[in-house]
């Protein structure tokens, strides 16, 4: 098989294990089927996720112009507490911001490399957890907009991380902590303004990933450095392709890169 396409975050589907796909533009490739096989990736160019330009990707799949101007590249994606659509205030495109920011959001705890707090639109679940390689996740608040979820996350971040350490996430070891117990210790730190959105009863969700064998050590590879990357695929977790020699390729960090894939 041979296909040239623009890399995007791999679409996922729930399952035991999770199912991963590669969006080829015209078709979807089932990446789980490639586990155990030799794959070759070659960098052939760029395509900005917003404007389609072939300028080099500046960050997050966007060319430099779009990174600083396109509504889908705005800083409130990374910093939900900077959301302003609930006040009717425009950042880059108010209609776009209202559509995303005023949708129902959740604050969650996820077990990745350790236990982290995060925010996402409710419609993004469970994909968001799978993208982060979470072994377990728990919804703790449901809010009517992104701002309220964001200020809750900021308050909880004083007590728990909001980051995933990728090497820890990719190790086979699952952190022993109990999510419900961690939440019991955190709920007093939810701000008064958002306490009414605490979810009264919620269940821990668990995920298993298609990994044949976890290499003992990991080394990240990037298409900026190596124009060609080849190896035998040992598994997939989060948005990482794991090669059997311990090299790992973060698909999400290569959004907007044109590649030629040979299997
Ligand atoms: Zn662009």
């Amino acid at each position: 098989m041979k296909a040239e396409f623009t890399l995007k975050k791999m679409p996922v589907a729930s399952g035991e294990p999770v199912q991963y796909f590669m969006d080829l533009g015209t078709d979807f490739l089932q990446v789980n089927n490639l586990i155990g096989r030799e794959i070759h990736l070659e960098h052939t160019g760029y395509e900005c996720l917003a404007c389609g330009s072939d300028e080099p990707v500046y960050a997050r799949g966007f060319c430099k112009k779009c990174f600083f101007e396109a509504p889908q590249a705005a800083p409130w994606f990374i910093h939900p507490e900077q959301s302003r659509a609930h006040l009717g205030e425009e950042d880059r495109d108010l209609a776009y911001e209202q559509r995303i920011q005023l949708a129902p959001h959740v604050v969650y705890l996820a077990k990745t490399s350790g236990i982290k707090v995060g925010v996402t639109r409710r419609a993004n679940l469970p994909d968001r957890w799978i993208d982060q390689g979470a072994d377990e996740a728990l919804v703790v608040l449901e809010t009517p907009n992104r701002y309220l979820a964001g200020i809750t996350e900021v308050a909880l971040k004083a007590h728990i991380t909001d980051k995933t350490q990728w090497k820890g996430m990719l190790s086979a070891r699952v952190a022993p902590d109990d999510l419900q117990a961690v939440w019991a210790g955190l709920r007093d730190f939810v701000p008064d303004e958002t306490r009414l959105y605490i979810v009264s009863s919620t269940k821990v969700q668990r995920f298993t990933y298609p990994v044949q064998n976890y290499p003992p050590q990991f080394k990240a590879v990037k298409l900026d450095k190596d124009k060609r990357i080849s190896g035998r695929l040992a598994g997939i977790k989060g948005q990482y392709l794991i090669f059997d020699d311990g090299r790992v390729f973060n698909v999400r960090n290569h959004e907007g890169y044109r590649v030629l894939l040979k299997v």
Side-chain angles (χ1 to χ4, degrees):
M1 194 223 79
K2 194 168 153 179
E4 187 173 5
F5 59 98
T6 303
L7 281 174
K8 297 189 192 84
K9 183 172 91 64
M10 289 181 282
V12 298
S14 299
E16 297 268 339
V18 168
Q19 299 292 309
Y20 286 93
F21 301 88
M22 202 69 93
D23 181 353
L24 305 182
T26 50
D27 199 2
F28 290 93
L29 176 70
Q30 287 197 294
V31 190
N32 294 48
N33 292 347
L34 305 184
I35 294 171
R37 295 172 66 182
E38 191 82 19
I39 64 171
H40 309 272
L41 274 175
E42 183 181 335
H43 184 202
T44 58
Y46 300 96
E47 183 185 5
C48 171
L49 296 187
C51 74
S53 121
D54 59 4
E55 290 288 309
V57 164
Y58 181 77
R60 292 172 49 211
F62 301 110
C63 71
K64 190 168 183 179
K65 183 175 191 304
C66 289
F67 183 77
F68 289 104
E69 294 176 10
Q72 60 270 52
W76 56 261
F77 268 102
I78 309 285
H79 301 286
E81 72 280 8
Q82 294 177 9
S83 299
R84 290 287 173 271
H86 63 289
L87 303 173
E89 291 176 12
E90 178 172 83
D91 181 359
R92 296 183 179 181
D93 175 346
L94 186 57
Y96 177 87
E97 286 142 15
Q98 285 173 329
R99 186 157 59 79
I100 307 285
Q101 294 179 15
L102 304 186
H105 277 66
V106 303
V107 180
Y108 62 84
L109 300 181
K111 192 181 280 190
T112 57
S113 48
I115 293 184
K116 60 159 276 174
V117 60
V119 162
T120 193
R121 266 176 295 154
R122 196 168 61 198
N124 280 345
L125 294 180
D127 299 22
R128 178 74 183 138
W129 294 330
I130 294 168
D131 291 345
Q132 293 179 336
D135 295 301
E136 297 177 9
L138 180 69
V139 171
V140 294
L141 271 85
E142 290 190 14
T143 64
N145 66 45
R146 189 168 185 85
Y147 170 76
L148 291 166
I151 60 168
T152 308
E153 183 189 39
V154 168
L156 297 180
K157 261 175 8 187
H159 308 278
I160 188 171
T161 185
D162 63 330
K163 305 277 189 308
T164 298
Q165 305 297 328
W166 65 269
K167 284 186 183 176
M169 181 276 286
L170 287 175
S171 78
R173 188 187 57 86
V174 176
D177 314 71
D178 180 277
L179 282 183
Q180 299 276 16
V182 172
W183 169 234
L186 279 174
R187 56 185 295 157
D188 284 349
F189 301 114
V190 173
D192 289 344
E193 197 179 347
T194 62
R195 297 199 70 83
L196 71 159
Y197 302 114
I198 292 177
V199 175
S200 54
S201 79
T202 173
K203 259 178 53 192
V204 173
Q205 301 204 34
R206 294 186 170 80
F207 304 96
T208 56
Y209 295 89
V211 183
Q212 242 173 22
N213 57 297
Y214 285 93
Q217 285 186 12
F218 299 101
K219 180 181 185 296
V221 287
K222 296 189 168 128
L223 288 172
D224 301 299
K225 208 156 159 274
D226 306 304
K227 192 174 150 53
R228 292 185 185 83
I229 294 169
S230 298
R232 203 180 68 86
L233 191 63
I236 317 157
K237 188 175 183 189
Q239 284 285 328
Y240 284 83
L241 302 180
I242 305 169
F243 293 101
D244 65 355
D245 60 2
R247 286 174 306 142
V248 295
F249 179 78
N250 185 339
V251 175
R252 186 161 212 177
N253 281 357
H254 288 84
E255 284 192 308
Y257 285 62
R258 295 280 301 167
V259 290
L260 180 65
L261 171 69
K262 286 190 257 181
V263 181

